[in-house]
Amino acid sequence: MSFKSAVITFPGSNCDRDALCYLKDLTKGKVHNIWHEETSLPKVDLVILPGGFSFGDYLRSGAMASKSKIIDEVVKHANDNRYLLGICNGFQILTEIGLLKGALIRNKKLKFLGKNCFIKRKFKNNFNLSIKDNQTLQIPVAHNEGNFYCDTETLNLLKNNEQIAFEYCKGEFSDTEENINGSIEAIAGITNKKKNVLGMMPHPERAYSDFHQSQDGRLIIESLIS
Amino acid sequence: MNEELILQHGLTLDEFQVIKKYLNRDLSIEELGIFSAMWNEHCCYKTSKKWLKKLPTDNEIVIQGPGENAGVIDLQDNDGIAFKIESHNHPSYIEPFNGSATGVGGILRDIFTMGARPIATLDSIRFGLIETEKTKYLLNGVVHGIGHYGNCIGIPNIGGECEFESTYDFNNLVNAMAVGHVQKDKIFYSKPKSIGGLIVYIGSKTGKDGIHGASMASDVFSEEDEDEKRPSVQVGDPFMEKLLMEGCLELMSSGLIESMQDMGAAGITSSSVEMASKGNVGVYINLDKVPLRQPLSAYEILLSESQERMLAVIDKKNNYKVREILQKWQIDYEVIGEITDTKRVVFESNNKKVVDLPVEIIVDDAPEYDREFYIPRKRKSKDFDFSKIKLEDMINNLLTDLNYLDKSWVFDQYDSTVMGDTIREPGQSSGIVKIHGTQKVIGVSTDCNPLYIRINPYEGMKYTVAESYRNLIACNINPLAITNNLNFASPLDPNIMGELVLSIHGLKTAAVKFNTPIVSGNVSLYNQTNETPIKPTPVIGIVGSNMDLNKINTNKFCEIGNKILILGKQLTKNCSPYLLQDQKIAFNICEFNDLEVLDLDFEKKIANCVLELSDLKCIMSCNDISRGGIFSALLKMQYKDMGFRVKVPDPIDLFCEYSAGYVIEIRSKDFEEVTSFLTKKGAEYLEIGEIIKEGIEINSKKFDYFDIMNKYRNNFEKIIS
């Protein structure tokens, strides 16, 4: 059965085309592009909330997008136990909707960070099954507010439920800091309790094609399809 | 009209008399504002026009040369590449964040006005000495502004340059370049097609920002001015620009508009006059219809430089459909006038014609000056004393000089991978992006050697073009065309004017030889504060291509054990300006020897060797040799755990500059093939060493690899904090 997916576009999204290409090239199935004002969502296996600056990041990153018309459908999609992936601004939107815990605050150095980062899997889930234990993935980040924060109670919850999907780590020859943006416990991506919703700051859709510097971003789609 | 008012508007009394004589009546204040905006250097190039006309602007691949919002070149299969560079120097000094941000915004609009989707930006930025708090503030603000705008709109920043030098202390330079992809049969021009077409206003509402920005950008600064001028700096909103870009591109691809013009410098005045002039028609605009952010007078509306606004011409029958598309993108839209057959520019406000001028007087009769210029005196030749120079000190000098250090601190604040087509990120000899959905790549680089140009403007400019050319060649990118940004001090000084004239002449010579026409550009004059003029800084933005992304070279070392070869001709140590300056051997500009004459045929010959060897897959990595010589080139090539071991007759040679200089890495097994190829071509080479693991060795002397690499990578941030 072919894998169906969709990408939501908000005004100010700028990684929607990248996400569409990523899905088309790797899933080989039907990929829909849905405008934020739509009120229905086709039945698909995966929805991506892409990166960018939805609504110009006004008010708070992701805050305005979380009130868009399409969001009710996105929540329904997640409640139906289907996959939902928020990348970068998409992750911020998921925390604003409340589908994911915690919040993304400004990077520790208070500067935008656009560079390669390295991550590894923390706890196993359907988004990272194809990744080996201790395998280091090289994937670009590009964010101003990617510093994951939550209170101790939530952090314990995330750990106990094994909701931490990815954490930042050191690359073999890179002198990039281990924890690139100051996230609590170097968290790079988390899931909801049921583990069908993932939010992550790194951009796997910029690391999959042969001409990209790394192809590690393929592993996420491969995990979902396998 | 009183003299003071005329002078305040940046017009000379002579210029005013020309207008008055032509019209045979007095001017309204709105009309005076229009001439102020249209007759300054920024809009009419009155000082540089005579010389710019001499540049080569056409060849078989040029689709659009200078004169439109951006130049366009042909990349086969209906692919066109639009590009341009533009300065935002003065605004970025007064308000670094908004000044630089709107610089990026403006150049992106120039690109998508042509119907092209922007696919890359670059920035060429120059600051004074970092020791002052002011420079730190400017550097932080400018980098933040460039990053903020480009990151938000989602166009990758793929390269540029960042230099520090004392003449920029009170005049930092911010030049932004943008490159876009357009289908050849869907290029849009500013020329309206039919009489009676509706003029529509698209984008942000008009406010008070930037009133008289264009004439400010043509003024000499004095330090006290800074606070007074701040309200003139435009404020940018990249989110609005993103919506505007998507909205405009959708309008253009659905064929609903006839022509488009961006409201940049001098706002609605400049864009409507351009439209009338290009189409040889007239325009009528009712200023009461212009969407406003706050109550404004007709004069203010005409001169506002509020950002993220466009003017388009549409057929009446498409009005409804245009509105519908723009509503989806939540963009303001208003019909404000129409194209007439009067060849006059008419603006009406409160049922009164506040401006009624023939297009001819504004555009065709704009002043053009043939300013006096001096040719620099011939330099005496001199031998410098190198006896006290120690290798360790030379290395240390580079590792404590911002101009040589890794500039990740700058470009890590830019998103360089958005759009998913980036192949080479900033920090390499050229930035490279793929044309979406094809195997073709575009390589782009910006460059300037102000020190060379001050020493010898003509030869220095040849070196600058050659260096940007080498930046592309090193990656196996075929150079195609050039955009330029001529940043100079006041042309009223005949010495400065001489630098302008001679460097344009040098640009012409090199561009003709390399067959790289100049298809767009920008001139920024009066970059001086009080008595301190900047060094002449004519920045080159060069664009090239390779039809096969698999054929491009990396600038980074590939494999331990591979050999290192040098191509090109070393400049003597007495004639390597940056060596003398940066190793603190020469201090005063009058001390330097003249530049060696650059042999452009030799540049081409060596470049062709590099391209051919690259196609034969014999080059594992390659970098051009520029400021800092071979040593600096090798440092930039360092990758993973690789270092280098080299032997040279005199260690100072490692720091000398080059003509046609390249470092190439080759496999031992290809050594015979490569060297016999080079010999056959008559290209001399020098085998200087090999790639080793975690080491730097020069003439058997071992250096601390980790210490050097650590300083190279991290000293920039330490020094500027």
Side-chain angles (χ1 to χ4, degrees):
Chain A
M1 222 182 54
S2 92
F3 190 90
K4 291 192 282 298
S5 56
V7 175
I8 314 286
T9 297
F10 303 94
S13 295
N14 61 30
C15 302
D16 45 340
R17 188 188 78 174
D18 310 359
L20 288 165
C21 294
Y22 174 62
L23 291 172
K24 274 179 200 155
D25 289 358
L26 297 181
T27 68
K28 310 285 180 210
K30 174 84 185 151
V31 186
H32 302 265
N33 187 196
I34 308 291
W35 183 241
H36 72 115
E37 283 183 314
E38 303 273 321
T39 46
S40 70
L41 195 60
K43 260 206 175 346
V44 292
D45 303 289
L46 166 69
V47 169
I48 290 187
L49 302 183
F53 288 69
S54 56
F55 296 92
D57 269 1
Y58 285 125
L59 191 59
R60 223 172 30 243
S61 315
M64 311 251 302
S66 72
K67 306 292 177 207
S68 281
K69 283 185 189 159
I70 193 67
I71 295 300
D72 287 345
E73 288 296 306
V74 171
V75 173
K76 258 188 235 160
H77 168 90
N79 290 342
D80 275 359
N81 251 339
R82 280 172 291 152
Y83 298 123
L84 175 58
L85 168 61
I87 301 168
C88 199
N89 188 227
F91 186 6
Q92 294 162 341
I93 296 170
L94 288 175
T95 62
E96 287 290 341
I97 298 172
L99 283 171
L100 294 178
K101 301 275 186 198
L104 293 142
I105 59 174
R106 287 191 70 186
N107 298 340
K108 187 178 57 185
K109 285 193 176 169
L110 304 179
K111 293 211 182 310
F112 187 92
L113 255 180
K115 63 191 301 180
N116 272 309
C117 81
F118 299 88
I119 56 171
K120 58 181 193 222
R121 179 172 73 191
K122 174 89 170 175
F123 296 111
K124 223 181 248 187
N125 59 49
N126 285 345
F127 290 94
N128 61 22
L129 275 178
S130 301
I131 298 166
K132 296 185 198 76
D133 284 330
N134 283 321
Q135 183 180 357
T136 304
L137 276 56
Q138 178 187 321
I139 296 182
V141 288
H143 57 245
N144 204 29
E145 284 96 13
N147 180 348
F148 181 80
Y149 181 78
C150 63
D151 58 26
T152 320
E153 198 184 331
T154 310
L155 183 64
N156 287 334
L157 212 70
L158 291 175
K159 283 191 206 165
N160 294 339
N161 295 334
E162 303 193 335
Q163 283 170 249
I164 301 168
F166 295 109
E167 55 190 4
Y168 299 107
C169 63
K170 230 172 148 48
E172 194 185 356
F173 297 109
S174 162
D175 56 9
T176 301
E177 293 158 90
E178 197 162 337
N179 186 352
I180 195 163
N181 55 19
S183 291
I184 198 162
E185 305 227 339
I187 287 174
I190 58 166
T191 63
N192 60 347
K193 202 172 166 185
K194 289 195 296 189
K195 300 191 178 68
N196 65 322
V197 179
L198 168 69
M200 64 190 292
M201 289 315 294
H203 287 272
E205 81 283 15
R206 300 185 193 180
Y208 76 92
S209 191
D210 289 337
F211 66 85
H212 287 146
Q213 281 192 32
S214 151
Q215 289 72 39
D216 294 339
R218 289 179 184 173
L219 293 167
I220 290 173
I221 299 299
E222 282 170 16
S223 300
L224 289 178
I225 289 179
S226 67
Chain B
M1 196 158 271
N2 76 48
E3 287 187 8
E4 203 186 331
L5 194 63
I6 295 163
L7 296 174
Q8 267 174 9
H9 278 77
L11 291 170
T12 67
L13 296 177
D14 287 344
E15 286 169 352
F16 182 74
Q17 282 313 318
V18 172
I19 302 165
K20 218 175 145 183
K21 206 170 145 203
Y22 183 99
L23 295 176
N24 201 16
R25 64 167 166 89
D26 218 344
L27 279 73
S28 69
I29 182 73
E30 290 83 4
E31 288 171 335
L32 183 65
I34 287 192
F35 282 103
S36 163
M38 297 304 296
W39 279 22
N40 63 44
E41 293 284 355
H42 190 90
C43 289
C44 83
Y45 301 98
K46 57 188 168 191
T47 293
S48 51
K49 207 192 291 174
K50 172 182 160 111
W51 302 102
L52 292 173
K53 279 181 195 157
K54 298 181 186 296
L55 291 173
T57 56
D58 200 14
N59 70 3
E60 62 289 349
I61 62 156
V62 174
I63 298 174
Q64 174 64 51
E68 276 288 339
N69 287 290
V72 187
I73 57 171
D74 189 341
L75 214 64
Q76 301 172 18
D77 320 311
N78 205 25
D79 291 321
I81 297 298
F83 62 98
K84 191 183 182 190
I85 190 166
E86 200 160 74
S87 63
H88 236 208
N89 301 334
H90 293 74
S92 304
Y93 181 73
I94 297 170
E95 217 292 62
F97 176 81
N98 279 302
S100 61
T102 52
V104 176
I107 195 67
L108 288 172
R109 280 196 300 286
D110 280 334
I111 300 303
F112 68 77
T113 305
M114 302 294 295
R117 178 170 283 279
I119 56 173
T121 62
L122 294 92
D123 57 295
S124 169
I125 51 181
R126 288 185 161 75
F127 303 92
L129 297 178
I130 199 67
E131 283 72 19
T132 67
E133 284 305 309
K134 176 84 187 187
T135 300
K136 288 177 186 169
Y137 159 77
L138 291 171
L139 173 69
N140 271 287
V142 165
V143 171
H144 186 198
I146 291 172
H148 173 71
Y149 210 99
N151 299 342
C152 183
I153 191 167
I155 314 294
N157 182 309
I158 59 167
E161 44 172 356
C162 174
E163 189 188 353
F164 298 84
E165 207 266 342
S166 65
T167 64
Y168 305 109
D169 273 341
F170 299 101
N171 271 281
N172 58 336
L173 299 184
V174 175
N175 295 176
M177 177 171 172
V179 183
H181 173 233
V182 60
Q183 287 174 311
K184 262 189 315 202
D185 54 3
K186 296 230 168 92
I187 300 175
F188 275 78
Y189 299 97
S190 48
K191 182 181 168 178
K193 287 180 188 147
S194 54
I195 307 289
L198 299 180
I199 299 176
V200 298
Y201 174 113
I202 301 172
S204 291
K205 291 183 169 63
T206 297
K208 274 194 177 176
D209 39 348
I211 290 177
H212 276 313
S215 45
M216 170 185 87
S218 308
D219 253 351
V220 176
F221 262 160
S222 70
E223 275 171 70
E224 304 83 64
D225 270 1
E226 214 183 296
D227 284 326
E228 215 170 281
K229 288 203 163 153
R230 193 161 287 124
S232 271
V233 177
Q234 311 87 321
V235 177
D237 178 354
F239 173 56
M240 177 46 83
E241 177 119 327
K242 167 77 174 166
L243 299 180
L244 187 63
M245 177 175 85
E246 297 300 343
C248 288
L249 289 174
E250 189 171 333
L251 284 180
M252 292 195 255
S253 67
S254 41
L256 291 171
I257 55 175
E258 285 184 12
S259 72
M260 194 167 246
Q261 180 76 29
D262 130 61
M263 284 193 247
I268 200 168
T269 295
S270 156
S271 49
S272 54
V273 169
E274 285 278 295
M275 248 178 197
S277 163
K278 289 270 166 52
N280 200 18
V281 292
V283 293
Y284 159 80
I285 286 175
N286 184 352
L287 296 174
D288 301 338
K289 301 264 188 194
V290 172
L292 299 181
R293 203 160 64 207
Q294 66 207 99
L296 293 180
S297 69
Y299 176 86
E300 288 170 315
I301 298 171
L302 282 169
L303 295 178
S304 162
E305 293 193 349
S306 289
Q307 298 289 293
E308 294 95 23
R309 302 180 301 160
M310 291 289 206
L311 216 51
V313 178
I314 63 169
D315 191 315
K316 274 182 185 135
K317 68 175 195 293
N318 292 328
N319 196 2
Y320 178 74
K321 283 186 200 152
V322 169
R323 186 177 295 271
E324 210 174 38
I325 287 179
L326 292 171
Q327 256 165 9
K328 169 184 154 195
W329 292 102
Q330 304 172 1
I331 302 169
D332 264 334
Y333 160 90
E334 200 63 58
V335 176
I336 60 167
E338 65 178 46
I339 299 293
T340 64
D341 59 2
T342 59
K343 298 189 186 174
R344 295 179 82 83
V345 177
V346 178
F347 290 105
E348 202 178 278
S349 170
N350 288 322
N351 295 320
K352 196 178 132 219
K353 278 185 188 171
V354 291
V355 173
D356 185 357
L357 296 169
V359 179
E360 183 185 56
I361 172 80
I362 312 175
V363 181
D364 304 342
D365 292 356
E368 186 178 329
Y369 292 116
D370 185 2
R371 296 199 197 276
E372 188 185 13
F373 65 93
Y374 299 156
I375 290 176
R377 234 178 294 152
K378 192 143 180 57
R379 288 172 176 269
K380 292 197 193 90
S381 92
K382 170 179 173 184
D383 279 334
F384 290 92
D385 177 15
F386 290 87
S387 62
K388 294 191 189 70
I389 300 288
K390 285 208 289 271
L391 178 58
E392 290 78 5
D393 294 339
M394 294 185 86
I395 293 177
N396 198 46
N397 280 336
L398 299 199
L399 294 175
T400 49
D401 182 338
L402 288 181
N403 294 311
Y404 289 97
L405 296 169
D406 179 89
K407 297 186 179 62
S408 303
W409 180 88
V410 175
F411 49 76
D412 281 356
Q413 296 185 52
Y414 304 149
D415 190 343
S416 54
T417 51
V418 63
M419 295 184 88
D421 286 320
T422 304
I423 302 208
R424 291 281 181 276
E425 295 171 31
Q428 306 214 26
S429 74
S430 55
I432 301 179
V433 289
K434 197 164 82 73
I435 303 296
H436 194 66
T438 73
Q439 291 292 98
K440 296 177 198 175
V441 296
I442 292 295
V444 197
S445 172
T446 63
D447 234 311
C448 188
N449 286 325
L451 176 61
Y452 279 41
I453 295 164
R454 174 124 297 165
I455 294 171
N456 181 334
Y458 175 73
E459 285 300 324
M461 192 63 197
K462 280 167 61 190
Y463 275 96
T464 285
V465 180
E467 190 177 323
S468 62
Y469 177 80
R470 271 176 245 153
N471 285 337
L472 298 189
I473 296 288
C475 299
N476 196 17
I477 297 284
N478 185 27
L480 295 174
I482 286 175
T483 179
N484 64 356
N485 203 134
L486 306 176
N487 307 279
F488 287 86
S490 169
L492 304 177
D493 175 345
N495 292 305
I496 305 288
M497 192 61 206
E499 292 177 338
L500 177 68
V501 171
L502 290 170
S503 60
I504 291 178
H505 190 47
L507 171 58
K508 175 192 164 187
T509 307
V512 167
K513 182 60 80 177
F514 294 147
N515 191 19
T516 47
I518 288 85
V519 298
S520 57
N522 177 243
V523 179
S524 170
L525 303 177
Y526 301 96
N527 288 291
Q528 67 183 70
T529 301
N530 301 329
E531 292 305 302
T532 316
I534 61 157
K535 282 214 172 88
T537 317
V539 174
I540 292 298
I542 191 164
V543 175
S545 72
N546 191 320
M547 294 297 158
D548 182 357
L549 72 94
N550 296 310
K551 284 191 176 160
I552 58 174
N553 294 332
T554 171
N555 296 140
K556 301 286 183 189
F557 287 147
C558 271
E559 203 179 338
I560 291 165
N562 282 350
K563 287 184 185 297
I564 301 170
L565 260 58
I566 304 297
L567 302 181
K569 181 170 157 283
Q570 184 198 310
L571 307 185
T572 64
K573 53 189 177 186
N574 283 311
C575 289
S576 283
Y578 284 114
L579 166 74
L580 296 168
Q581 175 189 270
D582 300 335
Q583 295 298 342
K584 302 174 179 69
I585 298 163
F587 292 91
N588 198 317
I589 197 79
C590 58
E591 284 182 79
F592 290 89
N593 287 320
D594 203 352
L595 296 175
E596 291 179 17
V597 171
L598 179 66
D599 180 350
L600 293 168
D601 286 312
F602 178 68
E603 279 285 344
K604 266 181 86 170
K605 182 171 92 173
I606 301 299
N608 284 330
C609 290
V610 174
L611 294 180
E612 279 188 55
L613 285 173
S614 305
D615 281 347
L616 292 169
K617 298 265 175 204
C618 285
I619 293 184
M620 296 295 100
S621 70
C622 178
N623 200 3
D624 65 298
I625 305 173
S626 54
R627 186 175 187 172
I630 294 172
F631 183 82
S632 181
L634 289 170
L635 268 192
K636 289 182 199 154
M637 295 175 82
Q638 187 279 340
Y639 187 54
K640 289 188 173 169
D641 58 346
M642 288 173 265
F644 52 89
R645 174 190 293 139
V646 295
K647 266 200 172 67
V648 283
D650 176 359
I652 294 178
D653 291 347
L654 286 176
F655 299 84
C656 288
E657 286 123 73
Y658 263 71
S659 62
Y662 300 90
V663 177
I664 59 173
E665 172 193 346
I666 58 169
R667 287 172 296 218
S668 301
K669 71 177 179 65
D670 295 332
F671 185 74
E672 284 300 315
E673 189 184 345
V674 171
T675 53
S676 65
F677 172 89
L678 291 169
T679 311
K680 203 172 73 197
K681 297 276 176 186
E684 283 174 43
Y685 63 89
L686 196 65
E687 187 198 346
I688 62 158
E690 64 198 325
I691 296 171
I692 58 173
K693 186 179 160 80
E694 293 173 355
I696 291 179
E697 264 182 64
I698 299 170
N699 290 358
S700 304
K701 192 175 165 55
K702 289 188 171 143
F703 290 85
D704 185 340
Y705 171 79
F706 293 101
D707 181 54
I708 289 180
M709 290 325 301
N710 178 34
K711 285 178 174 155
Y712 174 66
R713 291 208 194 99
N714 301 318
N715 271 5
F716 189 95
E717 187 169 353
K718 278 189 192 142
I719 294 171
I720 60 144
S721 312

